[in-house]
Amino acid sequence: MFNSLSDRLAATFKNLKGKGRLSEADIDATAREIRRALLDADVAVPVVREFIAHIKERSLGEEVSQALNPGQQVVKIVNDELVGILGGETRRLNLAKNPPTVIMLVGLQGAGKTTLAGKLSQHLKEQGHTPMLVAADLQRPNAVKQLQVNGERAGVPVYAPHPGVSSEFEDATGDPVQVARDGVAEAKAKYNDVVIVDTAGRLGVDSELMEQAANIRSAVQPDEVLFVLDAMIGQDAVATAQSFNEGVGFTGVVLSKLDGDARGGAALSVRSVTGKPVMFASTGESLSDFEVFHPDRMASRILD
Ligand code: GDP
């Protein structure tokens, strides 16, 4: 991931190596190259604009460190700004004071919600929690079954419309709001301290999907609503994120399929565009391909 952006930035910084004081023209040329590299990586235009303005301002300013030469200073500034657009601090899950903590997953069909549900439940289990999954995606054929398989792999219980006979539900017409509500009640009764509610996604953003997700949200009052975003959809990522932010609202973002995202535009744009932090990353199809999103480490990977 970020391969091309990393290479482009490395080439830009190489040009600054060995230079003494940087002239305004040097800084302009560097800023131009960084701008082009970010745009080619599909980073949203307003995000690029602000990023470049900061780089220029700080490079021209009085930021003189005795320990760093001018080239190194520019690298440091770019690093700081990358950490900034990636969200700054690592954002941890907001856990309910009175369990269960309710986490609702939203996103387009195929974004990776069901896969993420399994990964997140395994991660929480490793942290000493006792999660339960709730299958409230009754839209997609086989979604209930798929969640049950993921739950089994992670060793986590799954609440489904009729647990254990999911094959009957390949075209389930049940009420997802009721399933979500019952699932949370079940977790409470069984003392599961975190409930992850998987919801339906459509191929494109549509109002029915938004309404259903919004209804589930008001029914179960989640502590976190995580928007799962396929990082590979490139430029479309920002518009999709905005639609979900307006239609349902979410508290955090999970970037999925980051393993296949060579450019990184969604990862670098979504925080600034929605104002919501990226909290986790999904990096493959197996349950262990999952990480907590650390903005500083992600920035270092880009600049490595
Ligand atoms: P949902 O419709 O949002 O529930 O999406 P799924 O969880 O069913 O995922 C859709 C497809 O993407 C499946 O084939 C998954 O195996 C695949 N997938 C999910 N997450 C990742 C990921 O992080 N990396 C890769 N390479 N594939 C993923």
Side-chain angles (χ1 to χ4, degrees), residues 102-108 113 136-139 175-178 180-181 197-202 205-222 224-228 243-250:
V102 179
I103 302 172
M104 177 178 164
L105 307 180
V106 298
L108 293 180
K113 287 182 298 301
D137 176 357
L138 307 185
Q139 215 74 38
D175 175 10
V177 179
Q178 192 57 42
R181 210 184 267 129
V197 182
D198 188 21
T199 67
R202 303 286 156 81
V205 173
D206 71 39
S207 53
E208 205 186 319
L209 157 73
M210 290 299 176
E211 202 180 318
Q212 184 186 96
N215 288 340
I216 294 177
R217 183 173 190 174
S218 25
V220 301
Q221 299 283 317
E224 298 277 11
V225 180
L226 301 184
F227 170 59
V228 182
S243 304
F244 273 87
N245 205 15
E246 285 156 21
V248 196
F250 51 82

Side-chain angles (χ1 to χ4, degrees), residues 89-109:
E89 299 283 303
T90 304
R91 159 73 150 73
R92 309 274 170 191
L93 271 178
N94 177 25
L95 296 173
K97 282 196 196 77
N98 295 316
T101 297
V102 179
I103 302 172
M104 177 178 164
L105 307 180
V106 298
L108 293 180
Q109 181 175 318

Side-chain angles (χ1 to χ4, degrees), residues 38-39 41-51 234-235 238-239 264-266 268-270 272-273:
L38 291 171
L39 289 174
D42 273 349
V43 179
V45 174
V47 179
V48 175
R49 199 175 296 136
E50 197 174 335
F51 190 93
Q235 293 279 10
V238 164
L268 287 162
S269 307
V270 72
S272 302
V273 169

Side-chain angles (χ1 to χ4, degrees), residues 31-43:
R32 245 194 326 273
E33 283 172 34
I34 297 174
R35 180 172 171 278
R36 257 187 244 121
L38 291 171
L39 289 174
D40 288 347
D42 273 349
V43 179

